[in-house]
Amino acid sequence: MCGIIACIGSDDAVGELLTGLENLEYRGYDSAGIAVQNGSGIAVRKKAGKISELKDTIARDVSNGTIGIGHTRWSTHGPPTDKNAHPHTSRTERVAVVHNGIIENYEAIRRKLIAEGYEFRSETDTEVIPHLVEYYIDQGMGVEEAFKTTVGELDGSYAVALMVHGTDTVYAARQDSPLVVGVDDGRYYLASDVPAFLDFTDEVVYIENGEFARVRPNELVITDRDGNVVDRDVETVEWSAEETGKGQYAHYMLKEINEQADALANTIAGRIGEDGTVELEAFPPGTFGGIDEVEFVACGTSYHAALYGAQLLRRAGIRTYASLASEYDTSTVSDGTLVVAVTQSGETADTLTALRAAQDAGAETVAVTNVVGSSAAREADHALYIRAGPEIGVAATKTFSSQVVTLALLGHQLAEDLEQGRPREDAAEFFEELRKLPDHIATVLETTRAKEISEEYFDKKSYFFIGRDNEFPVALEGALKFKEITYEHAEGFASGELKHGPLALVTEETAVFALFTGQNGRETRKNAEEAHTRSADIVAVATDGTDVGEFADNVLWVPKTHPDLAGLLANVQLQLVSYYTADLLGREIDKPRNLAKSVTVE
């Protein structure tokens, strides 16, 4: 869960590396560094801390050059210290490396190298790479052969970029960690993610698992494990540098909350026919005719979207399950199983592992993702894009809404394709309200009292979020958002479970957010009243016109809509409560402690 960047053929390698690192900081932000070929050696500057605090220190006294590599770190092996920051260098400092991923057999390689007289200066797994490359160079190998031989010894996941003093080339390899090349008229950029170089180019080439890249000014060569040259098309990405900036907002998270109306409009565009049919560009009618059951695999916010989607599919008569990707069991997979991997980035390690296991077990697979060309999109049998636009804030916001709506559309097609499916009897009403959803979200954003609510309750000790049916995944998501960015104790429950244990935690220091979005309101009201009689403060999140009774101390209203969609409006209110509470508490909202945006390690 780190970010790497390389510049080849640049007139300002230092400046472009630092820009790339700032653009990648959502992938890791506990240390950063760069290495630049400056004609007299490889100049390395690295330090623990945020890039914004280190920019001057990193760049100071570094002669500019045309080739360089950089890294922003989220620690896995070794704490965030200056020594553990990347780039890492070999014994003679003629080899420099940046790496994203985990080298699982690094201890064995480290022992081997120590026995050969190599000394290690960090606690990281990455440091074995430059030492091992230098070891093979000392054995008489050329740089490229030494690099490929080293990579062949690595077990685990990696996107690695390496340069050697005296050459004008960056060597790179990829296995289960993302790596993309930016192309700009003879200049090249290697990075973990496209936003790293969007300031410079929108032309990209994707590196696949098991492939190597040799990059020098005016030359990009990609080869497979056997050394065969791979011919890969240059693609144009749709995101712009402006889209990945904060604009007028204090934080990316607030910007992305406010972008939800536009994101959902993009998600829906062209996918609902005038006659109420669903028209998914990747799936002509009948695509899923042989499917017996559907299994969702996902992590974090995407898992909550999967839970929401699974409930919609079950109502349509389709046997559907949602599993945490890290806990996924393929024992129920058969030829009639469709496994849907839900992942914003398309690079989530646990989800990719589950996707591959499902394929090995014989399942048909679909990736529901936000990133064109991502690993999940390329590896699954089908890709369905949520089209939410770039999301930089670590805490997912607009992508949750777009994931749920995309899964609802997919569910409708499955109900049409599958013999056991039951298409909606209220399809006309549902799709009419779905078209209105962006406007309803805009209304929530314009009328919300979330900041006022946050000011009233920001000093509570515990925060509970409760709901039933499709409100339950929203309650889980509300609690996750709250704990992610406020660092306060927050939990989400199915409303009925409150009395089966969690009620013991309720005191006058508890705030309970209870969801009332058109279904099961009577039952949730009983559960909220149980908490209220035990001195908890109750904030109802309710559709207009709902009778929440006298037990609710405050109400956050959302426009009346179809019950299957109202949870998405409630979720916007909860996102805003989390944001404003975190702001009042002075938290690092876009970069919460211990977390990174793209979880590319298991």
PDB file of all heavy atoms in Angstrom, residues 244-276:
ATOM      1  N   THR A 244      -8.778  15.349 -10.297  1.00  0.00           N
ATOM      2  CA  THR A 244      -8.094  14.742  -9.157  1.00  0.00           C
ATOM      3  C   THR A 244      -7.568  15.786  -8.177  1.00  0.00           C
ATOM      4  O   THR A 244      -6.862  15.433  -7.229  1.00  0.00           O
ATOM      5  CB  THR A 244      -6.930  13.859  -9.635  1.00  0.00           C
ATOM      6  OG1 THR A 244      -6.038  14.640 -10.422  1.00  0.00           O
ATOM      7  CG2 THR A 244      -7.451  12.687 -10.457  1.00  0.00           C
ATOM      8  N   GLY A 245      -7.896  17.056  -8.357  1.00  0.00           N
ATOM      9  CA  GLY A 245      -7.514  18.103  -7.415  1.00  0.00           C
ATOM     10  C   GLY A 245      -8.642  18.406  -6.440  1.00  0.00           C
ATOM     11  O   GLY A 245      -9.780  17.998  -6.622  1.00  0.00           O
ATOM     12  N   LYS A 246      -8.340  19.167  -5.383  1.00  0.00           N
ATOM     13  CA  LYS A 246      -9.344  19.490  -4.361  1.00  0.00           C
ATOM     14  C   LYS A 246     -10.228  20.666  -4.740  1.00  0.00           C
ATOM     15  O   LYS A 246     -11.308  20.845  -4.169  1.00  0.00           O
ATOM     16  CB  LYS A 246      -8.643  19.802  -3.033  1.00  0.00           C
ATOM     17  CG  LYS A 246      -8.212  18.587  -2.269  1.00  0.00           C
ATOM     18  CD  LYS A 246      -7.755  18.911  -0.866  1.00  0.00           C
ATOM     19  CE  LYS A 246      -6.459  19.677  -0.856  1.00  0.00           C
ATOM     20  NZ  LYS A 246      -5.874  19.776   0.493  1.00  0.00           N
ATOM     21  N   GLY A 247      -9.766  21.492  -5.677  1.00  0.00           N
ATOM     22  CA  GLY A 247     -10.559  22.650  -6.057  1.00  0.00           C
ATOM     23  C   GLY A 247     -10.778  23.579  -4.880  1.00  0.00           C
ATOM     24  O   GLY A 247      -9.864  23.884  -4.111  1.00  0.00           O
ATOM     25  N   GLN A 248     -12.024  24.011  -4.674  1.00  0.00           N
ATOM     26  CA  GLN A 248     -12.356  24.985  -3.629  1.00  0.00           C
ATOM     27  C   GLN A 248     -12.541  24.352  -2.254  1.00  0.00           C
ATOM     28  O   GLN A 248     -12.746  25.052  -1.263  1.00  0.00           O
ATOM     29  CB  GLN A 248     -13.664  25.692  -4.010  1.00  0.00           C
ATOM     30  CG  GLN A 248     -14.864  24.746  -4.063  1.00  0.00           C
ATOM     31  CD  GLN A 248     -16.144  25.433  -4.470  1.00  0.00           C
ATOM     32  OE1 GLN A 248     -16.230  26.655  -4.416  1.00  0.00           O
ATOM     33  NE2 GLN A 248     -17.132  24.671  -4.880  1.00  0.00           N
ATOM     34  N   TYR A 249     -12.457  23.031  -2.169  1.00  0.00           N
ATOM     35  CA  TYR A 249     -12.779  22.348  -0.920  1.00  0.00           C
ATOM     36  C   TYR A 249     -11.552  22.203  -0.026  1.00  0.00           C
ATOM     37  O   TYR A 249     -10.428  22.086  -0.500  1.00  0.00           O
ATOM     38  CB  TYR A 249     -13.360  20.965  -1.214  1.00  0.00           C
ATOM     39  CG  TYR A 249     -14.690  21.027  -1.928  1.00  0.00           C
ATOM     40  CD1 TYR A 249     -14.750  20.924  -3.317  1.00  0.00           C
ATOM     41  CD2 TYR A 249     -15.874  21.200  -1.227  1.00  0.00           C
ATOM     42  CE1 TYR A 249     -15.969  20.982  -3.988  1.00  0.00           C
ATOM     43  CE2 TYR A 249     -17.092  21.264  -1.881  1.00  0.00           C
ATOM     44  CZ  TYR A 249     -17.131  21.151  -3.259  1.00  0.00           C
ATOM     45  OH  TYR A 249     -18.338  21.226  -3.900  1.00  0.00           O
ATOM     46  N   ALA A 250     -11.821  22.181   1.284  1.00  0.00           N
ATOM     47  CA  ALA A 250     -10.729  22.034   2.252  1.00  0.00           C
ATOM     48  C   ALA A 250     -10.159  20.623   2.236  1.00  0.00           C
ATOM     49  O   ALA A 250      -8.990  20.416   2.567  1.00  0.00           O
ATOM     50  CB  ALA A 250     -11.224  22.378   3.656  1.00  0.00           C
ATOM     51  N   HIS A 251     -11.001  19.650   1.873  1.00  0.00           N
ATOM     52  CA  HIS A 251     -10.568  18.253   1.879  1.00  0.00           C
ATOM     53  C   HIS A 251     -11.137  17.525   0.672  1.00  0.00           C
ATOM     54  O   HIS A 251     -12.230  17.835   0.197  1.00  0.00           O
ATOM     55  CB  HIS A 251     -11.043  17.533   3.151  1.00  0.00           C
ATOM     56  CG  HIS A 251     -10.511  18.111   4.417  1.00  0.00           C
ATOM     57  ND1 HIS A 251     -11.205  19.053   5.148  1.00  0.00           N
ATOM     58  CD2 HIS A 251      -9.341  17.906   5.077  1.00  0.00           C
ATOM     59  CE1 HIS A 251     -10.481  19.387   6.217  1.00  0.00           C
ATOM     60  NE2 HIS A 251      -9.357  18.707   6.190  1.00  0.00           N
ATOM     61  N   TYR A 252     -10.403  16.528   0.203  1.00  0.00           N
ATOM     62  CA  TYR A 252     -10.911  15.684  -0.877  1.00  0.00           C
ATOM     63  C   TYR A 252     -12.228  15.026  -0.468  1.00  0.00           C
ATOM     64  O   TYR A 252     -13.144  14.871  -1.275  1.00  0.00           O
ATOM     65  CB  TYR A 252      -9.891  14.591  -1.227  1.00  0.00           C
ATOM     66  CG  TYR A 252      -8.770  15.054  -2.104  1.00  0.00           C
ATOM     67  CD1 TYR A 252      -7.464  15.152  -1.606  1.00  0.00           C
ATOM     68  CD2 TYR A 252      -8.987  15.385  -3.439  1.00  0.00           C
ATOM     69  CE1 TYR A 252      -6.419  15.564  -2.416  1.00  0.00           C
ATOM     70  CE2 TYR A 252      -7.944  15.803  -4.251  1.00  0.00           C
ATOM     71  CZ  TYR A 252      -6.662  15.891  -3.734  1.00  0.00           C
ATOM     72  OH  TYR A 252      -5.635  16.303  -4.534  1.00  0.00           O
ATOM     73  N   MET A 253     -12.328  14.597   0.798  1.00  0.00           N
ATOM     74  CA  MET A 253     -13.528  13.888   1.210  1.00  0.00           C
ATOM     75  C   MET A 253     -14.770  14.748   1.026  1.00  0.00           C
ATOM     76  O   MET A 253     -15.794  14.280   0.512  1.00  0.00           O
ATOM     77  CB  MET A 253     -13.415  13.432   2.666  1.00  0.00           C
ATOM     78  CG  MET A 253     -14.625  12.625   3.111  1.00  0.00           C
ATOM     79  SD  MET A 253     -14.501  12.063   4.817  1.00  0.00           S
ATOM     80  CE  MET A 253     -16.044  11.170   4.970  1.00  0.00           C
ATOM     81  N   LEU A 254     -14.710  16.012   1.437  1.00  0.00           N
ATOM     82  CA  LEU A 254     -15.867  16.883   1.276  1.00  0.00           C
ATOM     83  C   LEU A 254     -16.164  17.108  -0.204  1.00  0.00           C
ATOM     84  O   LEU A 254     -17.333  17.135  -0.618  1.00  0.00           O
ATOM     85  CB  LEU A 254     -15.628  18.214   1.991  1.00  0.00           C
ATOM     86  CG  LEU A 254     -16.823  19.179   1.995  1.00  0.00           C
ATOM     87  CD1 LEU A 254     -18.033  18.538   2.665  1.00  0.00           C
ATOM     88  CD2 LEU A 254     -16.452  20.483   2.695  1.00  0.00           C
ATOM     89  N   LYS A 255     -15.131  17.280  -0.998  1.00  0.00           N
ATOM     90  CA  LYS A 255     -15.319  17.428  -2.452  1.00  0.00           C
ATOM     91  C   LYS A 255     -16.031  16.206  -3.019  1.00  0.00           C
ATOM     92  O   LYS A 255     -16.989  16.337  -3.807  1.00  0.00           O
ATOM     93  CB  LYS A 255     -13.966  17.606  -3.128  1.00  0.00           C
ATOM     94  CG  LYS A 255     -13.998  17.615  -4.661  1.00  0.00           C
ATOM     95  CD  LYS A 255     -12.591  17.840  -5.210  1.00  0.00           C
ATOM     96  CE  LYS A 255     -12.573  17.855  -6.737  1.00  0.00           C
ATOM     97  NZ  LYS A 255     -12.488  16.500  -7.301  1.00  0.00           N
ATOM     98  N   GLU A 256     -15.606  15.027  -2.623  1.00  0.00           N
ATOM     99  CA  GLU A 256     -16.157  13.812  -3.190  1.00  0.00           C
ATOM    100  C   GLU A 256     -17.562  13.521  -2.677  1.00  0.00           C
ATOM    101  O   GLU A 256     -18.388  12.952  -3.403  1.00  0.00           O
ATOM    102  CB  GLU A 256     -15.185  12.659  -2.940  1.00  0.00           C
ATOM    103  CG  GLU A 256     -13.940  12.817  -3.819  1.00  0.00           C
ATOM    104  CD  GLU A 256     -12.687  12.156  -3.308  1.00  0.00           C
ATOM    105  OE1 GLU A 256     -12.757  11.463  -2.276  1.00  0.00           O
ATOM    106  OE2 GLU A 256     -11.619  12.349  -3.932  1.00  0.00           O
ATOM    107  N   ILE A 257     -17.868  13.919  -1.439  1.00  0.00           N
ATOM    108  CA  ILE A 257     -19.254  13.846  -0.966  1.00  0.00           C
ATOM    109  C   ILE A 257     -20.142  14.720  -1.850  1.00  0.00           C
ATOM    110  O   ILE A 257     -21.242  14.317  -2.265  1.00  0.00           O
ATOM    111  CB  ILE A 257     -19.358  14.277   0.505  1.00  0.00           C
ATOM    112  CG1 ILE A 257     -18.703  13.243   1.422  1.00  0.00           C
ATOM    113  CG2 ILE A 257     -20.821  14.475   0.909  1.00  0.00           C
ATOM    114  CD1 ILE A 257     -18.585  13.675   2.875  1.00  0.00           C
ATOM    115  N   ASN A 258     -19.655  15.910  -2.148  1.00  0.00           N
ATOM    116  CA  ASN A 258     -20.444  16.845  -2.951  1.00  0.00           C
ATOM    117  C   ASN A 258     -20.497  16.466  -4.429  1.00  0.00           C
ATOM    118  O   ASN A 258     -21.311  17.002  -5.177  1.00  0.00           O
ATOM    119  CB  ASN A 258     -19.889  18.264  -2.787  1.00  0.00           C
ATOM    120  CG  ASN A 258     -20.376  18.929  -1.523  1.00  0.00           C
ATOM    121  OD1 ASN A 258     -21.428  19.549  -1.496  1.00  0.00           O
ATOM    122  ND2 ASN A 258     -19.619  18.775  -0.442  1.00  0.00           N
ATOM    123  N   GLU A 259     -19.634  15.569  -4.861  1.00  0.00           N
ATOM    124  CA  GLU A 259     -19.648  15.114  -6.252  1.00  0.00           C
ATOM    125  C   GLU A 259     -20.604  13.951  -6.484  1.00  0.00           C
ATOM    126  O   GLU A 259     -20.753  13.470  -7.619  1.00  0.00           O
ATOM    127  CB  GLU A 259     -18.238  14.673  -6.671  1.00  0.00           C
ATOM    128  CG  GLU A 259     -17.264  15.824  -6.878  1.00  0.00           C
ATOM    129  CD  GLU A 259     -15.861  15.363  -7.185  1.00  0.00           C
ATOM    130  OE1 GLU A 259     -15.537  14.187  -6.904  1.00  0.00           O
ATOM    131  OE2 GLU A 259     -15.087  16.175  -7.712  1.00  0.00           O
ATOM    132  N   GLN A 260     -21.279  13.488  -5.443  1.00  0.00           N
ATOM    133  CA  GLN A 260     -22.083  12.271  -5.580  1.00  0.00           C
ATOM    134  C   GLN A 260     -23.222  12.401  -6.570  1.00  0.00           C
ATOM    135  O   GLN A 260     -23.550  11.441  -7.283  1.00  0.00           O
ATOM    136  CB  GLN A 260     -22.605  11.825  -4.217  1.00  0.00           C
ATOM    137  CG  GLN A 260     -21.537  11.123  -3.417  1.00  0.00           C
ATOM    138  CD  GLN A 260     -22.003  10.649  -2.069  1.00  0.00           C
ATOM    139  OE1 GLN A 260     -22.385   9.501  -1.913  1.00  0.00           O
ATOM    140  NE2 GLN A 260     -21.962  11.533  -1.101  1.00  0.00           N
ATOM    141  N   ALA A 261     -23.835  13.565  -6.641  1.00  0.00           N
ATOM    142  CA  ALA A 261     -24.934  13.732  -7.596  1.00  0.00           C
ATOM    143  C   ALA A 261     -24.431  13.534  -9.025  1.00  0.00           C
ATOM    144  O   ALA A 261     -25.032  12.802  -9.822  1.00  0.00           O
ATOM    145  CB  ALA A 261     -25.576  15.110  -7.435  1.00  0.00           C
ATOM    146  N   ASP A 262     -23.306  14.171  -9.344  1.00  0.00           N
ATOM    147  CA  ASP A 262     -22.739  14.021 -10.689  1.00  0.00           C
ATOM    148  C   ASP A 262     -22.252  12.597 -10.924  1.00  0.00           C
ATOM    149  O   ASP A 262     -22.402  12.049 -12.024  1.00  0.00           O
ATOM    150  CB  ASP A 262     -21.582  15.001 -10.892  1.00  0.00           C
ATOM    151  CG  ASP A 262     -22.048  16.452 -10.996  1.00  0.00           C
ATOM    152  OD1 ASP A 262     -23.236  16.666 -11.306  1.00  0.00           O
ATOM    153  OD2 ASP A 262     -21.231  17.345 -10.749  1.00  0.00           O
ATOM    154  N   ALA A 263     -21.641  12.001  -9.889  1.00  0.00           N
ATOM    155  CA  ALA A 263     -21.140  10.635 -10.035  1.00  0.00           C
ATOM    156  C   ALA A 263     -22.280   9.667 -10.351  1.00  0.00           C
ATOM    157  O   ALA A 263     -22.169   8.805 -11.233  1.00  0.00           O
ATOM    158  CB  ALA A 263     -20.415  10.202  -8.761  1.00  0.00           C
ATOM    159  N   LEU A 264     -23.411   9.820  -9.652  1.00  0.00           N
ATOM    160  CA  LEU A 264     -24.543   8.928  -9.896  1.00  0.00           C
ATOM    161  C   LEU A 264     -25.167   9.176 -11.260  1.00  0.00           C
ATOM    162  O   LEU A 264     -25.619   8.232 -11.928  1.00  0.00           O
ATOM    163  CB  LEU A 264     -25.583   9.093  -8.795  1.00  0.00           C
ATOM    164  CG  LEU A 264     -25.282   8.323  -7.511  1.00  0.00           C
ATOM    165  CD1 LEU A 264     -26.295   8.653  -6.435  1.00  0.00           C
ATOM    166  CD2 LEU A 264     -25.269   6.828  -7.774  1.00  0.00           C
ATOM    167  N   ALA A 265     -25.191  10.432 -11.674  1.00  0.00           N
ATOM    168  CA  ALA A 265     -25.697  10.721 -13.016  1.00  0.00           C
ATOM    169  C   ALA A 265     -24.849  10.002 -14.065  1.00  0.00           C
ATOM    170  O   ALA A 265     -25.375   9.461 -15.046  1.00  0.00           O
ATOM    171  CB  ALA A 265     -25.703  12.228 -13.264  1.00  0.00           C
ATOM    172  N   ASN A 266     -23.523   9.964 -13.853  1.00  0.00           N
ATOM    173  CA  ASN A 266     -22.636   9.244 -14.769  1.00  0.00           C
ATOM    174  C   ASN A 266     -22.873   7.736 -14.706  1.00  0.00           C
ATOM    175  O   ASN A 266     -22.831   7.041 -15.720  1.00  0.00           O
ATOM    176  CB  ASN A 266     -21.173   9.540 -14.441  1.00  0.00           C
ATOM    177  CG  ASN A 266     -20.769  10.957 -14.787  1.00  0.00           C
ATOM    178  OD1 ASN A 266     -21.371  11.587 -15.654  1.00  0.00           O
ATOM    179  ND2 ASN A 266     -19.761  11.465 -14.116  1.00  0.00           N
ATOM    180  N   THR A 267     -23.102   7.237 -13.487  1.00  0.00           N
ATOM    181  CA  THR A 267     -23.348   5.807 -13.319  1.00  0.00           C
ATOM    182  C   THR A 267     -24.585   5.363 -14.089  1.00  0.00           C
ATOM    183  O   THR A 267     -24.601   4.302 -14.724  1.00  0.00           O
ATOM    184  CB  THR A 267     -23.519   5.469 -11.822  1.00  0.00           C
ATOM    185  OG1 THR A 267     -22.321   5.813 -11.123  1.00  0.00           O
ATOM    186  CG2 THR A 267     -23.822   3.996 -11.615  1.00  0.00           C
ATOM    187  N   ILE A 268     -25.625   6.177 -14.056  1.00  0.00           N
ATOM    188  CA  ILE A 268     -26.918   5.819 -14.649  1.00  0.00           C
ATOM    189  C   ILE A 268     -26.948   6.073 -16.151  1.00  0.00           C
ATOM    190  O   ILE A 268     -27.633   5.365 -16.900  1.00  0.00           O
ATOM    191  CB  ILE A 268     -28.039   6.627 -13.957  1.00  0.00           C
ATOM    192  CG1 ILE A 268     -28.121   6.258 -12.468  1.00  0.00           C
ATOM    193  CG2 ILE A 268     -29.376   6.406 -14.640  1.00  0.00           C
ATOM    194  CD1 ILE A 268     -28.953   7.225 -11.655  1.00  0.00           C
ATOM    195  N   ALA A 269     -26.190   7.070 -16.616  1.00  0.00           N
ATOM    196  CA  ALA A 269     -26.307   7.567 -17.994  1.00  0.00           C
ATOM    197  C   ALA A 269     -26.258   6.439 -19.028  1.00  0.00           C
ATOM    198  O   ALA A 269     -25.326   5.635 -19.057  1.00  0.00           O
ATOM    199  CB  ALA A 269     -25.193   8.570 -18.278  1.00  0.00           C
ATOM    200  N   GLY A 270     -27.283   6.398 -19.878  1.00  0.00           N
ATOM    201  CA  GLY A 270     -27.333   5.442 -20.970  1.00  0.00           C
ATOM    202  C   GLY A 270     -27.643   4.020 -20.573  1.00  0.00           C
ATOM    203  O   GLY A 270     -27.633   3.119 -21.425  1.00  0.00           O
ATOM    204  N   ARG A 271     -27.937   3.786 -19.306  1.00  0.00           N
ATOM    205  CA  ARG A 271     -28.127   2.411 -18.836  1.00  0.00           C
ATOM    206  C   ARG A 271     -29.582   2.067 -18.535  1.00  0.00           C
ATOM    207  O   ARG A 271     -29.883   0.922 -18.203  1.00  0.00           O
ATOM    208  CB  ARG A 271     -27.262   2.168 -17.601  1.00  0.00           C
ATOM    209  CG  ARG A 271     -25.769   2.098 -17.929  1.00  0.00           C
ATOM    210  CD  ARG A 271     -24.898   1.985 -16.710  1.00  0.00           C
ATOM    211  NE  ARG A 271     -23.541   1.556 -17.080  1.00  0.00           N
ATOM    212  CZ  ARG A 271     -22.528   1.476 -16.227  1.00  0.00           C
ATOM    213  NH1 ARG A 271     -22.712   1.801 -14.942  1.00  0.00           N
ATOM    214  NH2 ARG A 271     -21.340   1.063 -16.635  1.00  0.00           N
ATOM    215  N   ILE A 272     -30.474   3.041 -18.613  1.00  0.00           N
ATOM    216  CA  ILE A 272     -31.898   2.789 -18.386  1.00  0.00           C
ATOM    217  C   ILE A 272     -32.643   3.190 -19.649  1.00  0.00           C
ATOM    218  O   ILE A 272     -32.632   4.359 -20.049  1.00  0.00           O
ATOM    219  CB  ILE A 272     -32.432   3.578 -17.182  1.00  0.00           C
ATOM    220  CG1 ILE A 272     -31.613   3.270 -15.933  1.00  0.00           C
ATOM    221  CG2 ILE A 272     -33.902   3.241 -16.950  1.00  0.00           C
ATOM    222  CD1 ILE A 272     -31.983   4.135 -14.739  1.00  0.00           C
ATOM    223  N   GLY A 273     -33.267   2.216 -20.300  1.00  0.00           N
ATOM    224  CA  GLY A 273     -34.008   2.488 -21.516  1.00  0.00           C
ATOM    225  C   GLY A 273     -35.304   3.220 -21.241  1.00  0.00           C
ATOM    226  O   GLY A 273     -35.821   3.226 -20.115  1.00  0.00           O
ATOM    227  N   GLU A 274     -35.862   3.839 -22.278  1.00  0.00           N
ATOM    228  CA  GLU A 274     -37.122   4.566 -22.139  1.00  0.00           C
ATOM    229  C   GLU A 274     -38.258   3.651 -21.702  1.00  0.00           C
ATOM    230  O   GLU A 274     -39.210   4.079 -21.053  1.00  0.00           O
ATOM    231  CB  GLU A 274     -37.474   5.244 -23.469  1.00  0.00           C
ATOM    232  CG  GLU A 274     -36.546   6.387 -23.859  1.00  0.00           C
ATOM    233  CD  GLU A 274     -36.585   7.533 -22.849  1.00  0.00           C
ATOM    234  OE1 GLU A 274     -37.676   7.800 -22.289  1.00  0.00           O
ATOM    235  OE2 GLU A 274     -35.533   8.153 -22.617  1.00  0.00           O
ATOM    236  N   ASP A 275     -38.146   2.375 -22.061  1.00  0.00           N
ATOM    237  CA  ASP A 275     -39.204   1.424 -21.709  1.00  0.00           C
ATOM    238  C   ASP A 275     -38.967   0.752 -20.363  1.00  0.00           C
ATOM    239  O   ASP A 275     -39.635  -0.229 -20.010  1.00  0.00           O
ATOM    240  CB  ASP A 275     -39.324   0.361 -22.799  1.00  0.00           C
ATOM    241  CG  ASP A 275     -38.003  -0.381 -23.035  1.00  0.00           C
ATOM    242  OD1 ASP A 275     -36.985   0.016 -22.433  1.00  0.00           O
ATOM    243  OD2 ASP A 275     -38.004  -1.348 -23.813  1.00  0.00           O
ATOM    244  N   GLY A 276     -37.994   1.279 -19.591  1.00  0.00           N
ATOM    245  CA  GLY A 276     -37.730   0.729 -18.268  1.00  0.00           C
ATOM    246  C   GLY A 276     -36.807  -0.457 -18.263  1.00  0.00           C
ATOM    247  O   GLY A 276     -36.611  -1.094 -17.223  1.00  0.00           O
TER     248      GLY A 276
END
